[in-house]
């Protein structure tokens, strides 16, 4: 259906990029050569089509020199990037006359550049070019393919990352839960070997888990001692909650009075989902409450439509702070929900001052409660 005949107006390009950025992918560099000149560009819209015959698809923007060169030469290589190839990915995503300077290459069957540091190579002959708006889909018959050991570079929400095996991820979650539930005293040392033995995981998974916990701020690496469990105190919780408040006040300033019925409805639904898990001043299920609470605040921040703000919000590690404070006891207070309900109502009424006031009141409640719980545990958790 073309846009002219569609009853729907379509999705705004900026919003589309944000949403489709949630589709994680691998990263490749598509290369070709023509008359001794090499061409290459970073591409994630590359996929396998069929195994028999072995066929790939590469979707390339027609405005760049690489797509035109692939069309003329009738061949291309897909260089699948490994986790250490982030710099190459950035270099080949930026128009430049000599992207290949200093990049080691391997010999190829089709005379296309194969990047020596890549994780895998697939050499393809173009059997069809499908024009699709700004892009061409190059259907390529695979004539040679080689893979090496290593892990892939990944791309998710505009950033490069590394792939975590499910087993390692499970180890990370287990160790994180142990730290958050205070199985280790603040300031105690965790070694890779003891951790691996203690919970029966591979030492490599224990190392992976500790490295991620370090990034979360839950452990600190000390050169002479190893990984030390970070103490959690009132300053950490105050700073985190205050930073969230500043973000939320900025969003309130920008969006209250501007939201449509669907957005307001979504916010109300997020609130209702959260309220399920806090009844009679007690958490019905703390983990479920925590997830729902996070989604409630994330939805508020997302209303600004700013990736920078959403990323800042994610970086606050608010879940860790809440787990290490509120999560220490099943007891809570309905007042949290009352203030959050006031936020929702102010959003519904387009009342900026009311929303600001409720957000501030909620933040004070959260900080006070964290201090109370900390006091019950001698000021540090
Ligand atoms: C992670 C990532 C993935 C990309 N994927 C594609 C893609 O699949 N197709 C495309 O046309 N451009 C893609 N680009 C953009 C191109 O790499 C970029 O426009 C590059 O400058 C094109 O090179 P050229 O202008 O030398 O041909 C991607 C960029 C990045 C950073």
């Amino acid at each position: 259906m073309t846009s002219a005949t569609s009853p729907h107006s379509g999705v705004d390009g900026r919003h589309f990029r944000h949403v489709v950025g949630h589709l994680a992918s691998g990263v490749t560099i598509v290369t070709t050569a023509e008359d001794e000149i090499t061409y290459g560009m970073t591409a994630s819209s590359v996929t396998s089509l069929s195994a028999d015959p072995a066929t790939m698809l590469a979707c390339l923007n027609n405005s760049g020199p690489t797509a035109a060169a692939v069309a003329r030469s009738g061949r291309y290589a897909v260089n699948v990037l490994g986790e250490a190839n982030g710099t190459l990915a950035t270099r080949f995503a930026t128009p430049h006359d000599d992207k290949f300077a200093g990049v080691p290459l391997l010999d190829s069957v089709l005379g296309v550049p194969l990047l020596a540091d890549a994780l895998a190579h697939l050499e393809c002959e173009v059997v069809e070019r499908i024009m699709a708006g700004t892009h061409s889909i190059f259907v390529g018959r695979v004539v040679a393919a080689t893979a090496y050991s290593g892990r892939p570079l990944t791309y998710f929400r505009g950033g490069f990352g590394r792939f975590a095996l499910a087993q390692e991820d499970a180890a990370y979650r287990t160790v994180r839960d142990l730290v958050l539930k205070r199985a280790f005293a603040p300031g105690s040392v965790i070694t890779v070997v003891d951790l691996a033995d203690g919970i029966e995981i591979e030492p490599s998974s224990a190392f992976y888990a500790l490295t991620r916990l370090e990034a979360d701020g839950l452990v600190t690496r000390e050169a002479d001692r190893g990984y030390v469990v970070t103490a959690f105190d009132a300053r950490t919780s105050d700073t985190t909650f205050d930073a969230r408040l500043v973000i939320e006040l900025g969003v309130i300033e920008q969006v209250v009075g501007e939201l449509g019925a669907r957005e307001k409805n979504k916010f109300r639904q997020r609130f209702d989902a959260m309220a399920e898990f806090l009844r009679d001043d007690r958490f019905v299920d703390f983990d479920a409450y925590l997830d729902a609470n996070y989604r409630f605040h994330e939805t508020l921040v997302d209303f600004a439509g700013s990736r920078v703000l959403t990323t800042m919000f994610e970086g606050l590690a608010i879940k860790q702070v809440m787990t290490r404070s509120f999560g220490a006891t099943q007891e809570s207070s309905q007042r949290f929900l009352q203030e959050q309900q006031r936020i929702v109502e102010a959003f519904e009424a387009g009342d900026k001052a009311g929303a600001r006031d409720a957000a501030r009141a909620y933040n004070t409640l959260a900080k006070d409660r964290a201090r109370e719980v900390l006091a019950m545990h001698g000021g540090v958790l």
Side-chain angles (χ1 to χ4, degrees):
M1 192 184 280
T2 66
S3 55
T5 57
S6 167
H8 306 293
S9 56
V11 170
D12 161 69
R14 209 170 122 239
H15 180 60
F16 171 70
R17 274 194 293 278
H18 167 69
V19 174
V20 86
H22 290 70
L23 174 63
S25 67
V27 185
T28 78
I29 293 178
V30 172
T31 56
T32 194
E34 193 199 14
D35 300 333
E36 312 277 302
I37 302 174
T38 49
Y39 299 84
M41 65 184 277
T42 303
S44 53
S45 299
V46 170
T47 186
S48 64
L49 177 66
S50 62
D52 189 13
T55 307
M56 295 291 293
L57 299 182
C59 306
L60 307 184
N61 196 319
N62 294 321
S63 66
T66 309
V70 169
R72 290 193 303 270
S73 70
R75 61 214 156 117
Y76 64 90
V78 174
N79 297 268
V80 180
L81 297 186
E83 63 183 11
N85 296 146
T87 313
L88 275 180
T90 306
R91 181 197 285 212
F92 279 83
T94 315
H96 194 276
D97 280 348
D98 200 5
K99 292 179 177 177
F100 288 88
V103 176
L105 300 177
L106 301 176
D107 287 341
S108 66
V109 176
L110 291 178
V112 284
L114 300 184
L115 309 188
D117 295 337
L119 184 59
H121 302 120
L122 297 118
E123 294 182 55
C124 308
E125 277 174 346
V126 176
V127 290
E128 196 178 344
R129 176 189 190 182
I130 301 161
M131 300 294 274
T134 51
H135 283 59
S136 291
I137 304 166
F138 290 101
V139 183
R141 182 74 36 86
V142 181
V143 298
T146 313
Y148 307 92
S149 62
R151 294 196 183 180
L153 182 68
T154 59
Y155 193 62
F156 175 65
R157 294 188 63 186
F160 295 119
R162 65 190 285 274
F163 176 78
L165 294 171
Q167 181 196 337
E168 292 188 335
D169 200 51
Y172 159 69
R173 284 175 196 288
T174 305
V175 183
R176 186 175 146 259
D177 272 4
L178 289 173
V179 173
L180 291 176
K181 296 196 168 130
R182 292 166 291 282
F184 307 98
S188 63
V189 176
I190 309 180
T191 68
V192 170
V193 176
D194 288 350
L195 181 64
D197 284 352
I199 57 171
E200 295 179 359
I201 55 174
E202 292 294 320
S204 60
S205 298
F207 179 69
Y208 171 82
L210 289 168
T211 312
R212 278 190 67 183
L213 291 185
E214 190 187 4
D216 289 344
L218 292 176
V219 299
T220 330
R221 191 173 184 175
E222 292 187 7
D224 48 342
R225 297 209 294 159
Y227 292 92
V228 179
V229 179
T230 318
F232 175 74
D233 55 16
R235 212 175 129 248
T236 318
S237 88
D238 280 1
T239 317
T240 308
F241 285 125
D242 281 343
R244 179 176 70 181
L245 176 66
V246 170
I247 294 175
E248 293 189 345
L249 288 177
V251 176
I252 287 169
E253 208 48 47
Q254 199 182 330
V255 308
V256 172
E258 309 290 330
L259 297 177
R262 270 187 60 213
E263 287 157 315
K264 290 180 190 171
N265 201 24
K266 181 176 176 185
F267 199 31
R268 166 68 62 176
Q269 283 170 343
R270 291 283 194 235
F271 172 79
D272 290 344
M274 174 174 62
E276 289 286 305
F277 300 111
L278 177 48
R279 295 258 173 87
D280 304 325
D281 296 326
R282 290 185 76 78
F283 294 121
V284 178
D285 172 341
F286 178 72
D287 286 335
Y289 169 81
L290 185 66
D291 279 343
N293 178 288
Y294 187 84
R295 293 225 137 192
F296 174 80
H297 289 276
E298 185 187 38
T299 300
L300 189 162
V301 176
D302 265 351
F303 284 146
S306 158
R307 200 168 66 77
V308 177
L309 273 191
T310 303
T311 307
M312 277 168 66
F313 173 73
E314 286 167 358
L316 292 178
I318 202 92
K319 277 191 179 180
Q320 275 94 319
V321 169
M322 287 178 66
T323 310
R324 296 185 90 186
S325 51
F326 308 154
T329 160
Q330 287 297 105
E331 277 169 44
S332 184
S333 163
Q334 295 306 118
R335 288 179 57 207
F336 286 107
L337 289 180
Q338 283 159 12
E339 295 304 346
Q340 283 166 312
Q341 180 154 13
R342 275 216 298 140
I343 301 178
V344 176
E345 284 165 1
F347 269 62
E348 286 169 347
D351 170 11
K352 262 187 204 172
R356 275 197 301 264
D357 187 58
R360 285 206 178 93
Y362 174 78
N363 190 55
T364 305
L365 272 183
K367 288 197 301 186
D368 288 353
R369 178 64 186 153
R371 280 173 183 276
E372 259 173 53
V373 178
L374 277 163
M376 288 181 216
H377 292 82
V380 81
L381 275 168

